[in-house]
Amino acid sequence: MRFSLVVPTLGRTDEVRALLRSLTMQAVRSFEIIVVDQNDDNRLDPVIAEFTDRLSILHLRSPVRLCNHARNLGARHATGDIITFPDDDCEYTQDVLTQVDQFFRNDPATGFLTGSVILPGGTSGRSGRWLKHDSAIDSQTVWTCLIEFNLFIRRPLFEIVGGFDETLGPGTRFGSGEGQDLALRLLSHGASGRYIHRLRIIHPDKPVALNISRAFPYGLGMGRVMRKNRCDLATVARFLLRPIGGALVNAAKLDFPIARYYVMTFFGRLAGYRAPSPAAAAT
């Protein structure tokens, strides 16, 4: 098996159907899908049944509603050479797995690969400050060109570093940063990573109001990851100053909701960096 796609899901049906439909159009056929179902009902049964004749799907259930617990649970059942973790509301463009397969075959020294995001209509989204050019992943670029649903890792490396830190990410106090944390741990174990700008996965932008409500917990996650991975003080200062600048610029434009988003991001990052290490933090 070439690829294992681990899909944590909660509360969605139509979006899961759209993801699975997009996977039926991949030219590369050597992949398995591991759906980790955190719902307390059977809403996904008919959705998965629609595709069982076209896709290899393992349907797992988890009573624990934590995204990274679900990712790690699915990963323990994976058999593919390369493991990846699509969100349950994203879709693959037709050449995603072909691009990734060719890249890893041509560059056996690379341990993990990531790319960018486009909206369902094909335009660039607001998610992340994406680099406009290909780049190596290091402690600086990891913050501007990596997101979990577009992250492909050689499975032995994922297992060596212990998978995702389950004290980070959706459902926890530290609401984001688990992808950067994983990449930084991979780098610390000697793996190399690449960002390929043209490697795009479709994902919708969240409504502005939802982004504002997430600003503080997402900031907490980033601050926590910078502290946990002992990022240099210049990097920490840069990512604390950026939201202050964003708040001032948007306040000057009288765009107070976005200014509030940046303010909450700043306080979240600061609080996350200052927070004590969770007792159950992953290595």
Side-chain angles (χ1 to χ4, degrees), residues 17 53 98 114 129 147 149 162 171 183 186 202 209 249:
R17 181 180 289 108
D53 61 337
T98 298
T114 186
R129 296 178 177 271
I147 198 160
F149 61 76
L186 288 165
I202 301 167
V249 168

Side-chain angles (χ1 to χ4, degrees), residues 166-185:
E166 296 183 16
T167 69
L168 299 169
T172 73
R173 178 190 177 198
F174 301 101
S176 73
E178 68 271 28
Q180 283 75 21
D181 174 71
L182 177 59
L184 289 168
R185 287 188 283 121

Side-chain angles (χ1 to χ4, degrees), residues 88-103:
D88 60 357
D89 60 344
C90 73
E91 298 176 47
Y92 274 25
T93 53
Q94 292 185 18
D95 64 344
V96 168
L97 294 183
T98 298
Q99 283 192 69
V100 176
D101 182 52
Q102 291 176 347
F103 184 92

Side-chain angles (χ1 to χ4, degrees), residues 41-77:
D41 56 30
N42 298 319
R43 71 183 68 193
L44 284 182
D45 289 358
V47 176
I48 292 173
E50 292 177 31
F51 296 92
T52 52
D53 61 337
R54 290 173 284 170
L55 297 171
S56 173
I57 304 175
L58 174 62
H59 184 188
L60 303 177
R61 294 183 180 273
S62 173
V64 179
R65 291 187 171 186
L66 288 176
C67 184
N68 287 316
H69 174 84
R71 287 168 173 157
N72 287 340
L73 172 62
R76 290 195 288 273
H77 291 77

